[in-house]
Amino acid sequence: MSAGARISESEWKVMEVVWTGPPVTAQQVTNALGVSEGWKPQTIKTLLARLVVKSVLRTEADGNRFLYYPEVSREAAVAAETDSFLDRIRRGSLVPMLAHLMESKRPLSHEEIEALRSLLPERNSEIGGES
Amino acid sequence: MSAGARISESEWKVMEVVWTGPPVTAQQVTNALGVSEGWKPQTIKTLLARLVVKSVLRTEADGNRFLYYPEVSREAAVAAETDSFLDRIRRGSLVPMLAHLMESKRPLSHEEIEALRSLLPERNSEIGGES
DNA sequence: GAAATATGTTTACAACCGTAGTCGATTCAT
DNA sequence: ATGAATCGACTACGGTTGTAAACATATTTC
């Protein structure tokens, strides 16, 4: 169900916190992001509430406050976001975009590079070719 | 200038058409997308107008209509979109996301795979390591 | 040259987003 | 217990997006 829960930019920041150690309280998220993002506590409450409405988060009561649990795994969210990204830049740009990705900022670590290399098929294996 | 021109989902579809053969007229875009996207001609006019406001497109008069020219190259747009994408899913998910990217749908062609392989540094070259 | 047609401009309107104030209920501190 | 702090719910408000109708103007057609 509800495969298509779009997560907005600000909501992503909240989700990153939730994913690193669920369940979390609104206060924990505020501690983690309030200062760095310059958000008032109310802003974070609003984002959490919206994520609940979108079924990206689920709550469990704990006294007067809520414990927030992810209903969508990070992997699933990343996969969905990747798909929507690819739908935008539709194919032709895949290689250029990876090129940009590798050059720019964030240099890749050895581990990442090895992981990527292992993703590519063997040099002479037969794979689904283009028409 | 104006590096930060955000292009929305629908606008991307329009831009893909523009990039494939500038300049284009609104009618050409309508012919290319109207049916496939189920958009009324007015919708496309609106999107074009918004792209002009955002300085992603530029117009040149041609009789009673406009010729639309891109002011932003596809490469630049893809780069910007890639950055914003990476800002969202922030790093940890890079390799998983590439894995997902390679598996899913669109199988990569031989050419693409070779291009990607050539992007990865040599097995034992010294590269910027992680902190 | 009047009617039909095509074009861009203005206006619309609901949903979503960023960011938060306010309000009523609850809990904590004294 | 009474006041202070906290919590979630409701409300807000300007901006963006998706989707387009209305309208004014220019051009083509008969």
Side-chain angles (χ1 to χ4, degrees):
Chain A
M1 274 307 77
S2 69
R6 304 289 271 149
I7 299 173
S8 82
E9 196 120 0
S10 298
E11 288 164 358
W12 263 92
K13 292 173 184 160
V14 170
M15 286 308 295
E16 290 288 357
V17 176
V18 178
W19 280 319
T20 58
V24 297
T25 63
Q27 191 165 51
Q28 287 177 313
V29 179
T30 302
N31 290 154
L33 296 178
V35 176
S36 65
E37 299 294 334
W39 284 340
K40 295 287 194 315
Q42 281 317 312
T43 300
I44 290 167
K45 306 277 183 65
T46 299
L47 293 173
L48 286 168
R50 285 181 182 168
L51 285 164
V52 170
V53 169
K54 293 182 183 184
S55 299
V56 175
L57 287 180
R58 166 178 65 86
T59 58
E60 231 166 73
D62 172 47
N64 69 326
R65 74 243 178 100
F66 283 155
L67 298 181
Y68 293 88
Y69 294 84
E71 281 269 286
V72 174
S73 74
R74 176 166 171 151
E75 291 65 41
V78 168
E81 200 67 21
T82 301
D83 284 344
S84 119
F85 175 64
L86 287 184
D87 281 349
R88 282 166 187 264
I89 71 168
R90 208 167 287 281
R91 192 35 173 298
S93 318
L94 209 175
V95 170
M97 100 102 180
L98 283 182
H100 171 73
L101 191 160
M102 310 247 175
E103 301 165 356
S104 74
K105 324 178 182 182
R106 327 164 212 294
L108 302 184
S109 69
H110 277 294
E111 286 73 23
E112 286 176 307
I113 288 172
E114 281 312 310
L116 290 181
R117 198 189 307 282
S118 73
L119 286 174
L120 295 177
E122 284 308 309
R123 180 137 321 220
N124 49 6
S125 72
E126 210 53 42
I127 48 175
E130 202 68 328
S131 77
Chain B
M1 289 308 89
S2 69
R6 305 286 274 146
I7 298 173
S8 82
E9 195 120 359
S10 298
E11 287 164 358
W12 262 91
K13 292 174 184 160
V14 170
M15 286 309 295
E16 290 289 357
V17 175
V18 177
W19 281 319
T20 59
V24 298
T25 63
Q27 190 163 53
Q28 287 175 310
V29 179
T30 302
N31 290 154
L33 296 178
V35 176
S36 65
E37 299 294 333
W39 284 340
K40 296 285 194 313
Q42 281 317 313
T43 299
I44 289 166
K45 305 278 181 64
T46 300
L47 292 172
L48 286 167
R50 286 180 182 170
L51 285 164
V52 170
V53 169
K54 294 183 184 182
S55 298
V56 175
L57 287 180
R58 166 177 66 86
T59 59
E60 231 167 72
D62 173 47
N64 68 327
R65 73 236 179 111
F66 283 154
L67 299 180
Y68 294 88
Y69 293 84
E71 281 270 285
V72 174
S73 73
R74 177 167 170 148
E75 290 66 40
V78 168
E81 199 68 20
T82 301
D83 284 345
S84 117
F85 175 63
L86 287 183
D87 281 348
R88 283 166 185 266
I89 68 167
R90 206 167 292 277
R91 193 39 172 298
S93 318
L94 210 176
V95 170
M97 100 99 180
L98 283 182
H100 172 74
L101 192 162
M102 309 246 177
E103 301 165 358
S104 73
K105 324 178 181 181
R106 328 163 214 291
L108 303 183
S109 69
H110 277 293
E111 286 72 24
E112 285 175 309
I113 288 172
E114 281 312 310
L116 290 181
R117 199 190 305 283
S118 72
L119 286 175
L120 294 178
E122 284 309 307
R123 185 143 309 226
N124 50 2
S125 73
E126 208 54 39
I127 48 176
E130 201 65 335
S131 76

